[in-house]
Amino acid sequence: MIFEQFFDKTSSTYTYLISSGKGREALIIDPVLEKTNEYLNLLKNLNLKLVKVIDTHIHADHVSGLAELNEKTDCVTVMGEKAQADIVSMYAKDNEKIKIENIELKTIYTPGHTDDSYSFLMGDRVFTGDTLLIKSTGRTDFQNGNPNDQYHSIFNRLLKLPDKTLVYPAHDYKGEKVSTIGEEKKLNPRLQVNSKEQYVTVMNNLKLAHPQLMDVAISANRKGLTLKEINNRNN
Ligand code: FE
């Protein structure tokens, strides 16, 4: 299997490229617009055909590469059905299977960070978006975020996966690349709570500043803008 984890320093975003092998179909999760050429180069070098691109949710901290990759490769653009984005060509339901050649991902609806947040389970690993981060969880204070929903998504869905399941989030701010469900159960400070109420109190008292790019990113990601369209907007 080909499994590549990219990191965007500006937004601390992780992007994943997956394929069953050289010359086969590929899928990308959470691409960052400015990194499009990096992805295209790797696809070319490995003779991969990009057929699907997924965003785990509407991102507020970077512009997604969905529209640009769709324009360049004609790939199918996928998001969970609760997302409202003009660029999406395939909406996935909870528990739905997303397939490419020899690879299958199962959608898990995990609202809380936003109401359009989805995780994707692929065999021994799960892509958790901003729902479950390494030793942290995604903020719940905008884009219809809700700490009650997030508690349910984490405790009743993600933490029910086997302990050895690898956790690949959409962001990390401390340089950690991967974790496991078992490790997060034990070591994630936000998950060391005795009740949902306690978790909600923790999340409602984070007092975080809004992301710098928030207004630009959310509107660009809802519309699904390409690099050219963004540049035209800025001129
Ligand atoms: Fe996010």
Side-chain angles (χ1 to χ4, degrees):
M1 186 175 69
I2 294 166
F3 182 78
E4 207 56 50
Q5 183 178 37
F6 298 87
F7 185 63
D8 173 52
K9 268 194 199 150
T10 316
S11 61
S12 298
T13 301
Y14 280 133
T15 300
Y16 303 92
L17 183 147
I18 301 152
S19 171
S20 63
K22 258 190 168 184
R24 297 196 182 273
E25 292 184 350
L27 172 143
I28 292 181
I29 300 177
D30 286 333
V32 174
L33 177 67
E34 290 81 2
K35 298 272 167 183
T36 305
N37 284 337
E38 222 178 290
Y39 314 140
L40 292 174
N41 285 337
L42 184 66
L43 289 163
K44 200 175 160 208
N45 289 340
L46 296 172
N47 188 25
L48 299 175
K49 180 175 166 47
L50 183 66
V51 290
K52 284 188 179 131
V53 197
I54 301 176
D55 262 351
T56 51
H57 61 291
I58 299 266
H59 295 284
D61 53 4
H62 67 270
V63 178
S64 160
L66 243 66
E68 187 75 11
L69 284 167
N70 169 257
E71 194 186 72
K72 295 261 160 73
T73 70
D74 221 13
C75 59
V76 174
T77 46
V78 186
M79 282 190 81
E81 63 176 346
K82 300 277 181 196
Q84 295 296 322
D86 296 346
I87 186 65
V88 173
S89 53
M90 174 188 162
Y91 282 108
K93 290 188 171 54
D94 189 25
N95 285 318
E96 188 169 329
K97 294 200 167 102
I98 297 166
K99 293 178 185 175
I100 63 165
E101 200 182 355
N102 301 336
I103 288 190
E104 200 173 272
L105 273 70
K106 194 182 87 174
T107 305
I108 309 173
Y109 181 40
T110 48
H113 169 60
T114 63
D115 61 355
D116 60 13
S117 286
Y118 289 74
S119 299
F120 297 89
L121 179 66
M122 185 183 91
D124 65 349
R125 60 201 65 196
V126 61
F127 302 96
T128 54
D130 290 356
T131 302
L132 178 60
L133 303 174
I134 300 176
K135 315 293 177 293
S136 187
T137 58
R139 62 193 297 172
T140 55
D141 56 338
F142 53 72
Q143 285 179 278
N144 298 322
N146 181 324
N148 287 282
D149 293 346
Q150 194 174 51
Y151 179 90
H152 173 75
S153 296
I154 293 175
F155 283 84
N156 298 330
R157 303 278 324 249
L158 297 176
L159 297 190
K160 299 282 185 212
L161 295 170
D163 277 359
K164 60 180 193 313
T165 310
L166 299 167
V167 173
Y168 285 103
H171 292 289
D172 192 82
Y173 304 94
K174 304 173 298 293
E176 297 216 42
K177 292 186 165 175
V178 60
S179 181
T180 63
I181 290 293
E183 232 172 275
E184 291 310 307
K185 271 185 194 162
K186 260 190 261 159
L187 301 173
N188 189 323
R190 297 235 179 116
L191 306 185
Q192 310 311 309
V193 290
N194 298 318
S195 64
K196 185 171 79 178
E197 290 64 35
Q198 222 184 327
Y199 182 75
V200 170
T201 306
V202 169
M203 294 310 286
N204 284 342
N205 286 290
L206 293 178
K207 300 191 173 69
L208 301 166
H210 278 182
Q212 282 177 351
L213 268 180
M214 185 164 162
D215 295 333
V216 182
I218 293 179
S219 99
N221 292 337
R222 285 204 192 289
K223 292 198 177 77
L225 299 184
T226 59
L227 200 53
K228 204 165 137 199
E229 286 164 337
I230 296 224
N231 288 338
N232 285 344
R233 247 190 177 188
N234 294 341
N235 290 335

